[in-house]
PDB file of all heavy atoms in Angstrom:
ATOM      1  N   PHE A 803      21.132 -17.977 -24.985  1.00 98.00           N
ATOM      2  CA  PHE A 803      20.196 -16.915 -24.597  1.00 98.00           C
ATOM      3  C   PHE A 803      18.975 -17.573 -23.965  1.00 98.00           C
ATOM      4  O   PHE A 803      18.446 -18.568 -24.486  1.00 98.00           O
ATOM      5  CB  PHE A 803      19.759 -16.082 -25.804  1.00 98.00           C
ATOM      6  CG  PHE A 803      18.671 -15.093 -25.464  1.00 98.00           C
ATOM      7  CD1 PHE A 803      18.974 -13.852 -24.933  1.00 98.00           C
ATOM      8  CD2 PHE A 803      17.321 -15.425 -25.637  1.00 98.00           C
ATOM      9  CE1 PHE A 803      17.973 -12.955 -24.592  1.00 98.00           C
ATOM     10  CE2 PHE A 803      16.311 -14.532 -25.297  1.00 98.00           C
ATOM     11  CZ  PHE A 803      16.647 -13.285 -24.771  1.00 98.00           C
ATOM     12  N   THR A 804      18.521 -17.006 -22.835  1.00 98.00           N
ATOM     13  CA  THR A 804      17.347 -17.527 -22.133  1.00 98.00           C
ATOM     14  C   THR A 804      16.372 -16.387 -21.857  1.00 98.00           C
ATOM     15  O   THR A 804      16.779 -15.309 -21.406  1.00 98.00           O
ATOM     16  CB  THR A 804      17.741 -18.180 -20.791  1.00 98.00           C
ATOM     17  OG1 THR A 804      18.611 -19.269 -21.045  1.00 98.00           O
ATOM     18  CG2 THR A 804      16.509 -18.663 -20.024  1.00 98.00           C
ATOM     19  N   TYR A 805      15.081 -16.626 -22.117  1.00 98.00           N
ATOM     20  CA  TYR A 805      14.028 -15.740 -21.610  1.00 98.00           C
ATOM     21  C   TYR A 805      13.166 -16.560 -20.662  1.00 98.00           C
ATOM     22  O   TYR A 805      12.720 -17.672 -20.997  1.00 98.00           O
ATOM     23  CB  TYR A 805      13.138 -15.180 -22.723  1.00 98.00           C
ATOM     24  CG  TYR A 805      11.985 -14.357 -22.144  1.00 98.00           C
ATOM     25  CD1 TYR A 805      12.144 -13.009 -21.857  1.00 98.00           C
ATOM     26  CD2 TYR A 805      10.757 -14.955 -21.836  1.00 98.00           C
ATOM     27  CE1 TYR A 805      11.126 -12.262 -21.286  1.00 98.00           C
ATOM     28  CE2 TYR A 805       9.724 -14.222 -21.257  1.00 98.00           C
ATOM     29  CZ  TYR A 805       9.921 -12.875 -20.985  1.00 98.00           C
ATOM     30  OH  TYR A 805       8.904 -12.145 -20.409  1.00 98.00           O
ATOM     31  N   THR A 806      12.909 -16.017 -19.468  1.00 98.00           N
ATOM     32  CA  THR A 806      12.081 -16.747 -18.512  1.00 98.00           C
ATOM     33  C   THR A 806      11.098 -15.833 -17.792  1.00 98.00           C
ATOM     34  O   THR A 806      11.447 -14.721 -17.386  1.00 98.00           O
ATOM     35  CB  THR A 806      12.942 -17.488 -17.466  1.00 98.00           C
ATOM     36  OG1 THR A 806      12.085 -18.197 -16.564  1.00 98.00           O
ATOM     37  CG2 THR A 806      13.843 -16.533 -16.688  1.00 98.00           C
ATOM     38  N   GLY A 807       9.876 -16.316 -17.680  1.00 97.00           N
ATOM     39  CA  GLY A 807       8.872 -15.639 -16.872  1.00 97.00           C
ATOM     40  C   GLY A 807       8.745 -16.257 -15.494  1.00 97.00           C
ATOM     41  O   GLY A 807       7.889 -15.845 -14.699  1.00 97.00           O
ATOM     42  N   ILE A 808       9.578 -17.267 -15.188  1.00 98.00           N
ATOM     43  CA  ILE A 808       9.540 -17.895 -13.867  1.00 98.00           C
ATOM     44  C   ILE A 808       9.879 -16.845 -12.810  1.00 98.00           C
ATOM     45  O   ILE A 808      10.821 -16.063 -12.972  1.00 98.00           O
ATOM     46  CB  ILE A 808      10.533 -19.079 -13.806  1.00 98.00           C
ATOM     47  CG1 ILE A 808      10.055 -20.189 -14.752  1.00 98.00           C
ATOM     48  CG2 ILE A 808      10.659 -19.611 -12.389  1.00 98.00           C
ATOM     49  CD1 ILE A 808      11.047 -21.314 -14.929  1.00 98.00           C
ATOM     50  N   VAL A 809       9.120 -16.822 -11.734  1.00 97.00           N
ATOM     51  CA  VAL A 809       9.201 -15.707 -10.782  1.00 97.00           C
ATOM     52  C   VAL A 809      10.325 -15.916  -9.763  1.00 97.00           C
ATOM     53  O   VAL A 809      10.094 -15.974  -8.555  1.00 97.00           O
ATOM     54  CB  VAL A 809       7.836 -15.476 -10.077  1.00 97.00           C
ATOM     55  CG1 VAL A 809       6.830 -14.898 -11.051  1.00 97.00           C
ATOM     56  CG2 VAL A 809       7.301 -16.772  -9.463  1.00 97.00           C
ATOM     57  N   PHE A 810      11.546 -15.968 -10.256  1.00 97.00           N
ATOM     58  CA  PHE A 810      12.685 -16.075  -9.353  1.00 97.00           C
ATOM     59  C   PHE A 810      12.725 -14.892  -8.389  1.00 97.00           C
ATOM     60  O   PHE A 810      13.170 -15.023  -7.248  1.00 97.00           O
ATOM     61  CB  PHE A 810      13.990 -16.126 -10.161  1.00 97.00           C
ATOM     62  CG  PHE A 810      14.172 -17.394 -10.950  1.00 97.00           C
ATOM     63  CD1 PHE A 810      14.097 -17.385 -12.336  1.00 97.00           C
ATOM     64  CD2 PHE A 810      14.407 -18.595 -10.313  1.00 97.00           C
ATOM     65  CE1 PHE A 810      14.269 -18.546 -13.075  1.00 97.00           C
ATOM     66  CE2 PHE A 810      14.583 -19.774 -11.035  1.00 97.00           C
ATOM     67  CZ  PHE A 810      14.506 -19.744 -12.421  1.00 97.00           C
ATOM     68  N   PHE A 811      12.250 -13.723  -8.835  1.00 94.00           N
ATOM     69  CA  PHE A 811      12.293 -12.529  -7.978  1.00 94.00           C
ATOM     70  C   PHE A 811      11.416 -12.686  -6.747  1.00 94.00           C
ATOM     71  O   PHE A 811      11.629 -11.989  -5.742  1.00 94.00           O
ATOM     72  CB  PHE A 811      11.884 -11.287  -8.777  1.00 94.00           C
ATOM     73  CG  PHE A 811      10.406 -11.155  -9.044  1.00 94.00           C
ATOM     74  CD1 PHE A 811       9.608 -10.348  -8.252  1.00 94.00           C
ATOM     75  CD2 PHE A 811       9.800 -11.859 -10.083  1.00 94.00           C
ATOM     76  CE1 PHE A 811       8.245 -10.233  -8.490  1.00 94.00           C
ATOM     77  CE2 PHE A 811       8.452 -11.742 -10.331  1.00 94.00           C
ATOM     78  CZ  PHE A 811       7.659 -10.932  -9.537  1.00 94.00           C
ATOM     79  N   ARG A 812      10.432 -13.587  -6.788  1.00 93.00           N
ATOM     80  CA  ARG A 812       9.620 -13.875  -5.588  1.00 93.00           C
ATOM     81  C   ARG A 812      10.192 -15.048  -4.805  1.00 93.00           C
ATOM     82  O   ARG A 812      10.225 -15.039  -3.573  1.00 93.00           O
ATOM     83  CB  ARG A 812       8.183 -14.202  -5.984  1.00 93.00           C
ATOM     84  CG  ARG A 812       7.375 -13.046  -6.530  1.00 93.00           C
ATOM     85  CD  ARG A 812       5.887 -13.356  -6.454  1.00 93.00           C
ATOM     86  NE  ARG A 812       5.111 -12.434  -7.247  1.00 93.00           N
ATOM     87  CZ  ARG A 812       4.781 -11.195  -6.857  1.00 93.00           C
ATOM     88  NH1 ARG A 812       5.200 -10.739  -5.689  1.00 93.00           N
ATOM     89  NH2 ARG A 812       4.056 -10.425  -7.648  1.00 93.00           N
ATOM     90  N   GLU A 813      10.593 -16.086  -5.517  1.00 95.00           N
ATOM     91  CA  GLU A 813      10.927 -17.344  -4.862  1.00 95.00           C
ATOM     92  C   GLU A 813      12.267 -17.291  -4.128  1.00 95.00           C
ATOM     93  O   GLU A 813      12.418 -17.893  -3.064  1.00 95.00           O
ATOM     94  CB  GLU A 813      10.936 -18.483  -5.884  1.00 95.00           C
ATOM     95  CG  GLU A 813       9.670 -18.582  -6.724  1.00 95.00           C
ATOM     96  CD  GLU A 813       8.383 -18.555  -5.920  1.00 95.00           C
ATOM     97  OE1 GLU A 813       8.333 -19.202  -4.854  1.00 95.00           O
ATOM     98  OE2 GLU A 813       7.419 -17.887  -6.340  1.00 95.00           O
ATOM     99  N   LEU A 814      13.262 -16.608  -4.676  1.00 96.00           N
ATOM    100  CA  LEU A 814      14.566 -16.554  -4.004  1.00 96.00           C
ATOM    101  C   LEU A 814      14.490 -15.806  -2.673  1.00 96.00           C
ATOM    102  O   LEU A 814      14.963 -16.330  -1.655  1.00 96.00           O
ATOM    103  CB  LEU A 814      15.607 -15.933  -4.935  1.00 96.00           C
ATOM    104  CG  LEU A 814      15.880 -16.695  -6.246  1.00 96.00           C
ATOM    105  CD1 LEU A 814      16.927 -15.968  -7.070  1.00 96.00           C
ATOM    106  CD2 LEU A 814      16.310 -18.127  -5.979  1.00 96.00           C
ATOM    107  N   PRO A 815      13.896 -14.601  -2.614  1.00 93.00           N
ATOM    108  CA  PRO A 815      13.778 -13.949  -1.302  1.00 93.00           C
ATOM    109  C   PRO A 815      12.935 -14.741  -0.307  1.00 93.00           C
ATOM    110  O   PRO A 815      13.112 -14.598   0.903  1.00 93.00           O
ATOM    111  CB  PRO A 815      13.114 -12.604  -1.635  1.00 93.00           C
ATOM    112  CG  PRO A 815      13.464 -12.350  -3.066  1.00 93.00           C
ATOM    113  CD  PRO A 815      13.448 -13.704  -3.704  1.00 93.00           C
ATOM    114  N   ALA A 816      12.019 -15.570  -0.825  1.00 92.00           N
ATOM    115  CA  ALA A 816      11.184 -16.378   0.063  1.00 92.00           C
ATOM    116  C   ALA A 816      11.893 -17.653   0.516  1.00 92.00           C
ATOM    117  O   ALA A 816      11.345 -18.422   1.297  1.00 92.00           O
ATOM    118  CB  ALA A 816       9.881 -16.743  -0.640  1.00 92.00           C
ATOM    119  N   GLY A 817      13.111 -17.891   0.008  1.00 93.00           N
ATOM    120  CA  GLY A 817      13.888 -19.046   0.447  1.00 93.00           C
ATOM    121  C   GLY A 817      13.392 -20.365  -0.112  1.00 93.00           C
ATOM    122  O   GLY A 817      13.433 -21.383   0.585  1.00 93.00           O
ATOM    123  N   VAL A 818      12.945 -20.398  -1.349  1.00 95.00           N
ATOM    124  CA  VAL A 818      12.449 -21.636  -1.973  1.00 95.00           C
ATOM    125  C   VAL A 818      13.638 -22.381  -2.581  1.00 95.00           C
ATOM    126  O   VAL A 818      14.228 -21.915  -3.567  1.00 95.00           O
ATOM    127  CB  VAL A 818      11.395 -21.324  -3.050  1.00 95.00           C
ATOM    128  CG1 VAL A 818      10.942 -22.602  -3.742  1.00 95.00           C
ATOM    129  CG2 VAL A 818      10.201 -20.608  -2.420  1.00 95.00           C
ATOM    130  N   PRO A 819      14.032 -23.538  -2.032  1.00 95.00           N
ATOM    131  CA  PRO A 819      15.263 -24.212  -2.474  1.00 95.00           C
ATOM    132  C   PRO A 819      15.290 -24.541  -3.963  1.00 95.00           C
ATOM    133  O   PRO A 819      16.319 -24.365  -4.627  1.00 95.00           O
ATOM    134  CB  PRO A 819      15.286 -25.480  -1.621  1.00 95.00           C
ATOM    135  CG  PRO A 819      14.501 -25.142  -0.395  1.00 95.00           C
ATOM    136  CD  PRO A 819      13.408 -24.235  -0.894  1.00 95.00           C
ATOM    137  N   GLY A 820      14.176 -25.037  -4.503  1.00 97.00           N
ATOM    138  CA  GLY A 820      14.175 -25.441  -5.902  1.00 97.00           C
ATOM    139  C   GLY A 820      14.445 -24.296  -6.854  1.00 97.00           C
ATOM    140  O   GLY A 820      15.026 -24.491  -7.932  1.00 97.00           O
ATOM    141  N   ALA A 821      14.047 -23.081  -6.481  1.00 97.00           N
ATOM    142  CA  ALA A 821      14.301 -21.924  -7.331  1.00 97.00           C
ATOM    143  C   ALA A 821      15.797 -21.646  -7.421  1.00 97.00           C
ATOM    144  O   ALA A 821      16.313 -21.288  -8.481  1.00 97.00           O
ATOM    145  CB  ALA A 821      13.555 -20.706  -6.797  1.00 97.00           C
ATOM    146  N   TYR A 822      16.514 -21.807  -6.306  1.00 97.00           N
ATOM    147  CA  TYR A 822      17.966 -21.635  -6.334  1.00 97.00           C
ATOM    148  C   TYR A 822      18.616 -22.649  -7.266  1.00 97.00           C
ATOM    149  O   TYR A 822      19.500 -22.317  -8.062  1.00 97.00           O
ATOM    150  CB  TYR A 822      18.540 -21.812  -4.924  1.00 97.00           C
ATOM    151  CG  TYR A 822      18.260 -20.684  -3.966  1.00 97.00           C
ATOM    152  CD1 TYR A 822      17.099 -20.658  -3.195  1.00 97.00           C
ATOM    153  CD2 TYR A 822      19.176 -19.656  -3.791  1.00 97.00           C
ATOM    154  CE1 TYR A 822      16.854 -19.634  -2.290  1.00 97.00           C
ATOM    155  CE2 TYR A 822      18.946 -18.626  -2.887  1.00 97.00           C
ATOM    156  CZ  TYR A 822      17.774 -18.619  -2.135  1.00 97.00           C
ATOM    157  OH  TYR A 822      17.533 -17.595  -1.250  1.00 97.00           O
ATOM    158  N   ARG A 823      18.188 -23.901  -7.161  1.00 97.00           N
ATOM    159  CA  ARG A 823      18.813 -24.967  -7.946  1.00 97.00           C
ATOM    160  C   ARG A 823      18.551 -24.792  -9.445  1.00 97.00           C
ATOM    161  O   ARG A 823      19.447 -24.956 -10.277  1.00 97.00           O
ATOM    162  CB  ARG A 823      18.280 -26.318  -7.464  1.00 97.00           C
ATOM    163  CG  ARG A 823      18.810 -26.723  -6.098  1.00 97.00           C
ATOM    164  CD  ARG A 823      18.008 -27.839  -5.433  1.00 97.00           C
ATOM    165  NE  ARG A 823      17.697 -28.947  -6.318  1.00 97.00           N
ATOM    166  CZ  ARG A 823      18.526 -29.960  -6.580  1.00 97.00           C
ATOM    167  NH1 ARG A 823      19.750 -29.983  -6.020  1.00 97.00           N
ATOM    168  NH2 ARG A 823      18.150 -30.936  -7.379  1.00 97.00           N
ATOM    169  N   LEU A 824      17.318 -24.422  -9.795  1.00 98.00           N
ATOM    170  CA  LEU A 824      16.984 -24.241 -11.208  1.00 98.00           C
ATOM    171  C   LEU A 824      17.741 -23.050 -11.797  1.00 98.00           C
ATOM    172  O   LEU A 824      18.272 -23.135 -12.916  1.00 98.00           O
ATOM    173  CB  LEU A 824      15.473 -24.043 -11.358  1.00 98.00           C
ATOM    174  CG  LEU A 824      14.964 -23.821 -12.791  1.00 98.00           C
ATOM    175  CD1 LEU A 824      15.324 -24.984 -13.700  1.00 98.00           C
ATOM    176  CD2 LEU A 824      13.450 -23.602 -12.785  1.00 98.00           C
ATOM    177  N   LEU A 825      17.829 -21.951 -11.053  1.00 98.00           N
ATOM    178  CA  LEU A 825      18.544 -20.791 -11.563  1.00 98.00           C
ATOM    179  C   LEU A 825      20.032 -21.098 -11.727  1.00 98.00           C
ATOM    180  O   LEU A 825      20.662 -20.659 -12.700  1.00 98.00           O
ATOM    181  CB  LEU A 825      18.347 -19.590 -10.633  1.00 98.00           C
ATOM    182  CG  LEU A 825      18.992 -18.278 -11.114  1.00 98.00           C
ATOM    183  CD1 LEU A 825      18.470 -17.869 -12.490  1.00 98.00           C
ATOM    184  CD2 LEU A 825      18.749 -17.159 -10.107  1.00 98.00           C
ATOM    185  N   ALA A 826      20.598 -21.862 -10.799  1.00 98.00           N
ATOM    186  CA  ALA A 826      22.009 -22.243 -10.927  1.00 98.00           C
ATOM    187  C   ALA A 826      22.252 -23.012 -12.223  1.00 98.00           C
ATOM    188  O   ALA A 826      23.283 -22.837 -12.884  1.00 98.00           O
ATOM    189  CB  ALA A 826      22.435 -23.072  -9.723  1.00 98.00           C
ATOM    190  N   ASN A 827      21.315 -23.857 -12.608  1.00 97.00           N
ATOM    191  CA  ASN A 827      21.466 -24.616 -13.852  1.00 97.00           C
ATOM    192  C   ASN A 827      21.367 -23.712 -15.079  1.00 97.00           C
ATOM    193  O   ASN A 827      22.096 -23.896 -16.055  1.00 97.00           O
ATOM    194  CB  ASN A 827      20.408 -25.709 -13.922  1.00 97.00           C
ATOM    195  CG  ASN A 827      20.735 -26.900 -13.033  1.00 97.00           C
ATOM    196  OD1 ASN A 827      21.590 -26.799 -12.157  1.00 97.00           O
ATOM    197  ND2 ASN A 827      20.062 -28.023 -13.248  1.00 97.00           N
ATOM    198  N   ILE A 828      20.443 -22.750 -15.047  1.00 98.00           N
ATOM    199  CA  ILE A 828      20.313 -21.823 -16.178  1.00 98.00           C
ATOM    200  C   ILE A 828      21.602 -21.016 -16.332  1.00 98.00           C
ATOM    201  O   ILE A 828      22.093 -20.795 -17.446  1.00 98.00           O
ATOM    202  CB  ILE A 828      19.097 -20.899 -15.976  1.00 98.00           C
ATOM    203  CG1 ILE A 828      17.792 -21.715 -15.993  1.00 98.00           C
ATOM    204  CG2 ILE A 828      19.051 -19.824 -17.052  1.00 98.00           C
ATOM    205  CD1 ILE A 828      16.552 -20.914 -15.624  1.00 98.00           C
ATOM    206  N   ILE A 829      22.166 -20.598 -15.203  1.00 97.00           N
ATOM    207  CA  ILE A 829      23.413 -19.831 -15.234  1.00 97.00           C
ATOM    208  C   ILE A 829      24.560 -20.660 -15.792  1.00 97.00           C
ATOM    209  O   ILE A 829      25.471 -20.133 -16.444  1.00 97.00           O
ATOM    210  CB  ILE A 829      23.745 -19.314 -13.817  1.00 97.00           C
ATOM    211  CG1 ILE A 829      22.748 -18.206 -13.419  1.00 97.00           C
ATOM    212  CG2 ILE A 829      25.185 -18.818 -13.718  1.00 97.00           C
ATOM    213  CD1 ILE A 829      22.862 -17.765 -11.979  1.00 97.00           C
ATOM    214  N   ALA A 830      24.515 -21.969 -15.604  1.00 97.00           N
ATOM    215  CA  ALA A 830      25.598 -22.856 -16.040  1.00 97.00           C
ATOM    216  C   ALA A 830      25.434 -23.362 -17.462  1.00 97.00           C
ATOM    217  O   ALA A 830      26.228 -24.198 -17.907  1.00 97.00           O
ATOM    218  CB  ALA A 830      25.706 -24.032 -15.072  1.00 97.00           C
ATOM    219  N   LEU A 831      24.435 -22.892 -18.191  1.00 95.00           N
ATOM    220  CA  LEU A 831      24.145 -23.442 -19.520  1.00 95.00           C
ATOM    221  C   LEU A 831      25.365 -23.449 -20.442  1.00 95.00           C
ATOM    222  O   LEU A 831      25.612 -24.428 -21.154  1.00 95.00           O
ATOM    223  CB  LEU A 831      23.014 -22.645 -20.174  1.00 95.00           C
ATOM    224  CG  LEU A 831      21.622 -23.293 -20.183  1.00 95.00           C
ATOM    225  CD1 LEU A 831      20.617 -22.369 -20.832  1.00 95.00           C
ATOM    226  CD2 LEU A 831      21.652 -24.645 -20.854  1.00 95.00           C
ATOM    227  N   ASN A 832      26.128 -22.393 -20.458  1.00 89.00           N
ATOM    228  CA  ASN A 832      27.254 -22.323 -21.394  1.00 89.00           C
ATOM    229  C   ASN A 832      28.493 -23.042 -20.882  1.00 89.00           C
ATOM    230  O   ASN A 832      29.547 -22.990 -21.522  1.00 89.00           O
ATOM    231  CB  ASN A 832      27.595 -20.867 -21.717  1.00 89.00           C
ATOM    232  CG  ASN A 832      28.029 -20.084 -20.488  1.00 89.00           C
ATOM    233  OD1 ASN A 832      27.682 -20.438 -19.373  1.00 89.00           O
ATOM    234  ND2 ASN A 832      28.775 -18.997 -20.700  1.00 89.00           N
ATOM    235  N   LYS A 833      28.382 -23.708 -19.728  1.00 79.00           N
ATOM    236  CA  LYS A 833      29.515 -24.436 -19.167  1.00 79.00           C
ATOM    237  C   LYS A 833      29.413 -25.935 -19.399  1.00 79.00           C
ATOM    238  O   LYS A 833      30.362 -26.669 -19.165  1.00 79.00           O
ATOM    239  CB  LYS A 833      29.623 -24.170 -17.652  1.00 79.00           C
ATOM    240  CG  LYS A 833      29.751 -22.693 -17.299  1.00 79.00           C
ATOM    241  CD  LYS A 833      30.979 -22.062 -17.932  1.00 79.00           C
ATOM    242  CE  LYS A 833      31.104 -20.596 -17.577  1.00 79.00           C
ATOM    243  NZ  LYS A 833      32.268 -19.953 -18.230  1.00 79.00           N
ATOM    244  N   LYS A 834      28.264 -26.379 -19.835  1.00 60.00           N
ATOM    245  CA  LYS A 834      28.069 -27.811 -20.082  1.00 60.00           C
ATOM    246  C   LYS A 834      28.678 -28.155 -21.435  1.00 60.00           C
ATOM    247  O   LYS A 834      28.243 -27.655 -22.473  1.00 60.00           O
ATOM    248  CB  LYS A 834      26.568 -28.153 -20.074  1.00 60.00           C
ATOM    249  CG  LYS A 834      26.252 -29.607 -20.420  1.00 60.00           C
ATOM    250  CD  LYS A 834      26.775 -30.564 -19.381  1.00 60.00           C
ATOM    251  CE  LYS A 834      26.301 -31.999 -19.672  1.00 60.00           C
ATOM    252  NZ  LYS A 834      26.895 -32.960 -18.736  1.00 60.00           N
TER     253      LYS A 834
END
Side-chain angles (χ1 to χ4, degrees):
F803 173 84
T804 299
Y805 175 87
T806 181
I808 293 172
V809 289
F810 291 110
F811 76 98
R812 291 199 194 281
E813 308 311 319
L814 298 180
V818 177
Y822 287 88
R823 288 164 46 84
L824 179 59
L825 183 58
N827 283 16
I828 295 173
I829 289 172
L831 257 179
N832 62 336
K833 303 301 180 182
K834 176 66 173 175

